[in-house]
Every structure is written in structure tokens, then in C-alpha cells.
């Protein structure tokens, strides 16, 4: 750990709210959320207290992966609105003193992007090398890599009888980052948006930009048709050269916030990505803690590992770089369903988990609906899924003879669609999301769980988030203070202290649905300033008895 002082920056003081535009608010009744819908809800976001909005891709797209397949980086997808709507959104966000960051998807484009259309047109086209093309090998794909979205990572294009690489869906061909002209075209596009006055980017899948030289086959001891291929394209040596150049050519010239999505980067390697001295990215979205819940959906919440992962990130980056703090996004299941208890202790578990991640050092991200404790949904069959991974999985498993009931069961607990159900605004039709038929079924629990109900209840999850945000804004210790894990070996409780100058704070969160006792001392001048039970437990005689999922925060005042 470094003792360097932590420098102050606006983006370190950010609380980011992530919008998945398709599911946030539909203004025109077509069942799909849109930019005018976002504008309608800006006062809600301002009132929540957040100061930065990250909006997932809104660009022109065939929507194979809900906008992560872009066919024109400089136009708005018609279902979401127009460039005029975007300009209005940016203006309205800024008028409320908030900032707006966009999603930058540059590991791949859509197969309908003009660059790809040109590239596929002939082996001699000047953009041929902007994507990754190879000949077949022994009548098969050029190598045995599996795509992240199931099936092969290659598709044969009859136009020139060569395969192109796609590590995500077949409609998301990977750009070839080795090609200088391609990189230059990307940088021009990035600068165009920055010149428009946006406040930064979340950079999609950037740790996948570099592929293993030679694109070798993977060892295949199990005799699989295609082998999970992460080591061949995730955080491969050399990827930081691309990240460095991207930053130097674009972001470095502006005062913006940059958040890289960096699967495969652990806390020991994080410094290379976010060290302030290296002038690359401000922070990265890491995946270490999201993997603590396995892909079969079996409850395997491991508190000891969670503590180790978070405290390593805190320690390794203190005074060096910055953390992006999150427990939900559009790719993972709802946190109360994953680590909490959505039936018996929904409010308590949502709020205890919230305090746990939110008050560490870093910029907290809130994914839409997390602030009201939205839960995973029900899937009754294939038609209830919209995600491209689910669709591929159904096709593959059906061809293997599995029934739809079996397949539904296999993916219901982990499907990304759990997080993508429409935002629950009120108890009216379609949860107030749309007057039409929503593109994805509304979670049937919307009559109990919605913004309107929660805003009236002082004890609600929504009001707890407001308090957390205010607390962080009013006390710099929760932003810049150092972090130390306390009660390291406690089996139920995640607790830590923050220190800034001579001030100290203590965050104690029971993450289990049962009572538990903690031996802990606090200085007499420390006062309880936040709790998630009305009758909150107090530290007396050097110990505290916590109720299920109870959290308490102390601050030296
Ligand atoms: C990560 C995004 O978060 C996810 O939604 C998307 O499917 C992949 N990258 C591909 O762009």
C-alpha cells in the first residue's frame, strides 16, 4: 500500500447512476425505453442525489445485443430517439448540475456497420484488415475458440469464403486493433463525442481488444467442440499499449471520466490500468467479486473471499488509482436475489449490502432499480428471454435434445434478463414503464416494489440510498479516507474503518440473515449516523448484537 495522498478530482466525488435505456422509461408507448423517457426522469435522479449518469449504448444498432452492436457510432438508434433528443438530454443533465457519460463499444462493431460491410466485400478492400479474417482449417473454423455468448467464435462469410472472428455474438465482429487506420478512425469518433461536451465514457470490453498472437488452438483435453477462450483474448499482454494510445489520443486532452470494463484484471494488476501516474483510465469495472456466485446459480456466497477481494482492491489502489464500486449492472443478476434474501429480508439485505459497498474508497455505481431493491424475475419458458446469450443457449441445448423446461431452468437464475426487466416506477399498468407492451415482461412483483411506494416510506431502500448518497457528499472521509478491514475473520459481518486526517468512521454490516455478535470498540466521540433498522443496535461495553442484515455506521463528530 502506498502512503501517497489522495488527490481530489470531480469524478472521485461522483455517484454514478447506470441507465439501461431500453428498460428505463418509454415515452411514446412502443414498449421500448427512450431518451425522452430519460429526460422525464431527470428530476427523480437529481432528487436521489446522484451526480453522474452512465447511459448504456444509444447508438444506431440492429439491437442483436441491445445496442452493444453498433452500426453507426455517430447516430442515435431510432427507437431511442434522435440526435436532437440526445442534445436536449445532455443540456437538461447539465442544467441540473449533473454529468453524462456514454458507453464506448470499440472491441467490435455490428456486422451492419459500414466498416464491416466494406471489409467483407472483398479480400482486397482497404478495410479488410480492420476486422479479423482467416481461412478455414481442415474444413472447420480457423481455431477451436468458443464465443462468450456460446457456439464458435468464428462465422464463415460466403462473400469471400473466409471466417471472421466474433468473441461475442455473430453479429458483433471483432475489430482488429493491430490496424492503425482502424484505431485512428475510432479516435476521431471518440473526439467527436468529447467535442460535443459529454463528460466521459465507460469503455466496453476493452480488456479483450488484444488477441493472442497467432490465434492458436486451445488445449482440449475434454474433447469439446469449442473451448472457452478467455485466456486467448482477455487481458492478453500488449492490451495496455492499445489502452495507453487510446487515452493519449483522446481522453487525455479533456477533463472527463473514464471507466474501463476490464474483465480478467485483478487487484494486483490494476495499477497498470488506473495509476494516476500512468495517465490511462480513471477506474475500471472489475469482475473478481461478481464471480463469487457461480454460473449455475447455486448459493455460494463466500463472505471471506468477498472481504479479501474488496480489501485487496482498496489497499492496492490507495493513493495510486481509483476504484469503481458496484454490485449490480445489466449483465449480472439482482443483488438482493444474489447475496441477500428477497423473501424474508429484502429491505434489510438490500440496505446492508448497499452500505457495505458504497462507503468504501471509490466512485459508487447504482444500477437502475437497485435503489428500490428490484429482484430477479420469473421465466416460464423460452419466450420470456430476450438476451442473445439465452437465445444461443436455447438453440445449442435444443440441438442436443434438451427440453425447453430443462433449458429454462438451467439459465433462469443467471440470465442477464433478470436485471433488464423494465424499471418499476409505480403500481399502474406495466409498472408505469410504458403504455404499450414492454419489450421484456415486467417483473410480477411491481405492485409491491416500485419507486412511488418506496418514496412514501421513510424506511425504504430508496430513502436509505438517498441517505447514503448525502452522507458521502457531506463527509469527505467517505470519499478520500483510507480503508482498513476490521473483524477480518468474522463469519457474518463485513466491517471496515475509514480514516482521513484525525477523523475516523466505522461501517459494520451483517451480511447474513441471522443475529450475530461483534466485539468492537469505538471512541466515545463516535456517533451512530446511519442504520437500517428503526430500533438500531448500539455498541455498548465493547460489543454489538446485530439483527439479521443489520448495518450501522459510526462517525467521529
Ligand atoms: C459487456 C457489456 O456490458 C455487455 O452487455 C455486452 O453484451 C458485451 N460487453 C459485448 O459488448
Amino acid at each position: 500500500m502506498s502512503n501517497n495522498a489522495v488527490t481530489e478530482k470531480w469524478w472521485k466525488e461522483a455517484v454514478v447512476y447506470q441507465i439501461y435505456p431500453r428498460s428505463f422509461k418509454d415515452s411514446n408507448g412502443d414498449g421500448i425505453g427512450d431518451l425522452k423517457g430519460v429526460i422525464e426522469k431527470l428530476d427523480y435522479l437529481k432528487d436521489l442525489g446522484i451526480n453522474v449518469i452512465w447511459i448504456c449504448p444509444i447508438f444506431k444498432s440492429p439491437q442483436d445485443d441491445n445496442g452493444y452492436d453498433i452500426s453507426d457510432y455517430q447516430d442515435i438508434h431510432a427507437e431511442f430517439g434522435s440526435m436532437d433528443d440526445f442534445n436536449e438530454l445532455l443540456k437538461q443533465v447539465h442544467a441540473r448540475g449533473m454529468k453524462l457519460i456514454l458507453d464506448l463499444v470499440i472491441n467490435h462493431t455490428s456486422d451492419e456497420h459500414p466498416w464491416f460491410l466494406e471489409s467483407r466485400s472483398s479480400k482486397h478492400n482497404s478495410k479488410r484488415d480492420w476486422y479479423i479474417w482467416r481461412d478455414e482449417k481442415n474444413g472447420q473454423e480457423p481455431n477451436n475458440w468458443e464465443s462468450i455468448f456460446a457456439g464458435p467464435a468464428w462465422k464463415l462469410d460466403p462473400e469471400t469464403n473466409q471466417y471472421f472472428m466474433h468473441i461475442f455474438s455473430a453479429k458483433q465482429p471483432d475489430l482488429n486493433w493491430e490496424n492503425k487506420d482502424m484505431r485512428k478512425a475510432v479516435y476521431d469518433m471518440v473526439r467527436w463525442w468529447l467535442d460535443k461536451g459529454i463528460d466521459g465514457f465507460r469503455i466496453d470490453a476493452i480488456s479483450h481488444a488484444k488477441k493472442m498472437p497467432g490465434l492458436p488452438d486451445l488445449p482440449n483435453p475434454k474433447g469439446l467442440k469449442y473451448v472457452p477462450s478467455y485466456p486467448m483474448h482477455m487481458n492478453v499482454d500488449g492490451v495496455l499499449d492499445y489502452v495507453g494510445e487510446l487515452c493519449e489520443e483522446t481522453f487525455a486532452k479533456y477533463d472527463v471520466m473514464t471507466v474501463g470494463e476490464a474483465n480478467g484484471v485483478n487487484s494486483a494488476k490494476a495499477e497498470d490500468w488506473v495509476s494516476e501516474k500512468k495517465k490511462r483510465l480513471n477506474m475500471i469495472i472489475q469482475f473478481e467479486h461478481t464471480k463469487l456466485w457461480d454460473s449455475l446459480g447455486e448459493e455460494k456466497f463466500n463472505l471471506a473471499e468477498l472481504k479479501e477481494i474488496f480489501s485487496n482492491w482498496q489497499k492496492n489502489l490507495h493513493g495510486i488509482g481509483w476504484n469503481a464500486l458496484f454490485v449490480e449492472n445489466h449483465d449480472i443478476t439482482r443483488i438482493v436475489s444474489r447475496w441477500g434474501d428477497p423473501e424474508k429480508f429484502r429491505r434489510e439485505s438490500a440496505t446492508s449490502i448497499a452500505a457495505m459497498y458504497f462507503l468504501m474508497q471509490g466512485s459508487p455505481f447504482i444500477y437502475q432499480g437497485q435503489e428500490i431493491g428490484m429482484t430477479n424475475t420469473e421465466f416460464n419458458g423460452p419466450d420470456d428471454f430476450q438476451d442473445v446469450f439465452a437465445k444461443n443457449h436455447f438453440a445449442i441445448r435444443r440441438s442436443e435434445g434438451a427440453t425447453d423446461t430443462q433449458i429454462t431452468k438451467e439459465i433462469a437464475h443467471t440470465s442477464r434478463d433478470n436485471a433488464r426487466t423494465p424499471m418499476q416506477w409505480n403500481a399502474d399498468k406495466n409498472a408505469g414503464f410504458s403504455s404499450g407492451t414492454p419489450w421484456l415482461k415486467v417483473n410480477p412483483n411491481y405492485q409491491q416494489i416500485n419507486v412511488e411506494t418506496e418514496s412514501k416510506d421513510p424506511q425504504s431502500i430508496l430513502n436509505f440510498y438517498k441517505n447514503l448518497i448525502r452522507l458521502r457528499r457531506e463527509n469527505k472521509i467517505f470519499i478520500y479516507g483510507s480503508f482498513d478491514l476490521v473483524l477480518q475473520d468474522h463469519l457474518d459481518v463485513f466491517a471496515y474503518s475509514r480514516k482521513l486526517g484525525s477523523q475516523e468512521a466505522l461501517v459494520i454490516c451483517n451480511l447474513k440473515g441471522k443475529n450475530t455478535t461483534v466485539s468492537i470498540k469505538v471512541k466515545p466521540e463516535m456517533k451512530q449516523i446511519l442504520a437500517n433498522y428503526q430500533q438500531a443496535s448500539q455498541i455498548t461495553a465493547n460489543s454489538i448484537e446485530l439483527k439479521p442484515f443489520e448495518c450501522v455506521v459510526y462517525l467521529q463528530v
Side-chain angles (χ1 to χ4, degrees), residues 280-298:
R280 289 180 180 142
L281 300 170
N282 297 155
M283 60 192 94
I284 53 175
I285 293 170
Q286 53 92 6
F287 283 61
E288 286 195 288
H289 68 296
T290 66
K291 301 219 162 106
L292 292 181
W293 193 78
D294 83 323
S295 60
L296 295 173
E298 283 164 13

Side-chain angles (χ1 to χ4, degrees), residues 65 68 108 149 168 172 202 204 261 330-331 416 420:
D65 186 18
Y68 283 94
H108 45 269
F149 288 165
F168 294 98
Q172 293 168 302
R202 174 263 191 191
D204 185 69
E261 191 203 25
H330 63 292
D331 290 331
R416 305 195 294 179
R420 298 174 179 184

Side-chain angles (χ1 to χ4, degrees), residues 217-258:
D217 270 320
L218 279 145
N220 190 5
K222 291 189 194 151
L224 300 171
K225 194 153 179 217
Y226 306 107
V227 185
S229 59
Y230 283 100
M232 296 287 112
H233 52 66
M234 186 175 75
N235 203 15
V236 169
D237 261 0
V239 68
L240 280 162
D241 296 337
Y242 296 147
V243 175
E245 186 185 88
L246 165 70
C247 297
E248 207 177 298
E249 294 291 323
T250 60
F251 313 136
K253 302 176 167 52
Y254 302 78
D255 179 22
V256 288
M257 173 170 184
T258 56

Side-chain angles (χ1 to χ4, degrees), residues 467-533:
N467 286 333
L468 266 180
I469 296 170
R470 189 166 30 79
L471 199 64
R472 188 177 179 278
R473 191 176 53 235
E474 289 173 358
N475 298 283
K476 284 203 167 176
I477 185 170
F478 291 116
I479 304 174
Y480 296 109
S482 62
F483 168 100
D484 281 290
L485 204 55
V486 294
L487 304 167
Q488 185 149 359
D489 300 322
H490 200 290
L491 298 175
D492 307 321
V493 170
F494 192 122
Y496 53 91
S497 68
R498 303 286 309 266
K499 288 192 189 97
L500 188 66
S502 59
Q503 202 188 21
E504 202 176 328
L506 192 59
V507 180
I508 308 173
C509 306
N510 180 3
L511 295 184
K512 300 280 175 69
K514 56 177 177 135
N515 292 341
T516 192
T517 307
V518 162
S519 305
I520 199 159
K521 251 197 208 158
V522 280
K523 296 181 191 153
E525 60 276 24
M526 300 224 351
K527 296 276 171 295
Q528 197 176 88
I529 49 157
L530 186 74
N532 65 346
Y533 274 80

Side-chain angles (χ1 to χ4, degrees), residues 400-437:
E400 292 167 358
T403 65
D404 283 355
T405 315
Q406 264 174 332
I407 309 170
T408 301
K409 209 167 156 226
E410 279 165 14
I411 56 173
H413 279 80
T414 52
S415 172
R416 305 195 294 179
D417 284 332
N418 280 299
R420 298 174 179 184
T421 59
M423 179 71 183
Q424 293 165 206
W425 293 105
N426 54 41
D428 299 346
K429 186 180 159 214
N430 298 327
F433 161 70
S434 169
S435 58
T437 308

Side-chain angles (χ1 to χ4, degrees), residues 89 177 517:
L89 172 66
W177 274 75
T517 307

